[in-house]
Every structure is written in C-alpha cells, then in structure tokens.
Amino acid sequence: MSRRNRAFLLVGLLAALLIAGVGSYYASSSPDGLEWSAEEEGFGSTARDSATAGSPLADYAVSGVDDGRLSGGLAGVIGVAVTLVLAGGLTLALRRRRGGDATEAGAVPGEPVAADRAG
C-alpha cells in the first residue's frame, strides 16, 4: 500500500473515531422520531425491549460506565472499531477467495499489471 493511501486511510479512521467519540457527546437525549410519534399517538407504552436490551452496547451506551456522555462516546468508538474489523476481514476473505489474483495497489481492474505489460 502506498504512503498516500495509508495517510488517506489513517485520516479517515481518525475522522470516524472523532465523529463517533466526540459527536456522540453532543447527541440529543430526546427520543428518536419513531419513539416520539408513538408517544404522540398514544401507543408508546406498548413498546417492549428488544432481545438485545441486556447487551453490553444496548441503547448506544456501554454498560458499566455511569457517565452517559462518556458511555455513548465509547459505544460509538467501539462501533466504529467493530465495523472496521468486520469490513477489513470480509475484504481480506474475499480477496483470498478470488484466488490471489489481486492486482497491484492502484491498478485498474481488468488492466494488466506492470509485470504483464513488460513481458
């Protein structure tokens, strides 16, 4: 991977972590539109917790962290990290599955790589 690509990915990662960690600090604690409209229409009390309500990251918060804003920020950062690990793993798995015919970094799919052009 070229130095330029690494810098781009690093800046993107830092931006995602910053938005997830700091942006969530300013997120509204008001109910979302669906919850609000359910309350307005009078059937909000019929809602039930989901099957994942007891999970460590339920309600966009980290269980065990008492500060609500910190808890939400940590949940955002953990969410970004999990998403990147899953996407990266999927990318690597699909690349390997393709039979290792990955082209050079920056090459256009379907065009010959430098070694093919030379010979």
Side-chain angles (χ1 to χ4, degrees):
M1 181 182 299
S2 73
R3 183 177 234 142
R4 186 174 180 190
N5 286 342
R6 283 187 189 148
F8 177 76
L9 290 175
L10 182 61
V11 168
L13 174 63
L14 291 175
L17 291 173
L18 187 66
I19 291 169
V22 176
S24 62
Y25 184 81
Y26 297 101
S28 173
S29 61
S30 300
D32 64 19
L34 183 58
E35 290 178 16
W36 178 85
S37 61
E39 291 296 328
E40 286 293 310
E41 295 299 318
F43 64 90
S45 61
T46 63
R48 294 179 289 157
D49 283 339
S50 74
T52 61
S55 69
L57 297 175
D59 288 330
Y60 305 105
V62 176
S63 61
V65 178
D66 294 331
D67 183 345
R69 290 183 184 254
L70 176 63
S71 179
L74 286 174
V77 169
I78 292 169
V80 167
V82 168
T83 301
L84 290 175
V85 166
L86 290 175
L90 182 61
T91 300
L92 289 174
L94 290 174
R95 223 183 229 177
R96 287 186 185 138
R97 183 174 167 206
R98 201 184 310 173
D101 66 347
T103 58
E104 292 179 347
V108 177
E111 288 188 10
V113 293
D116 293 337
R117 284 185 228 129

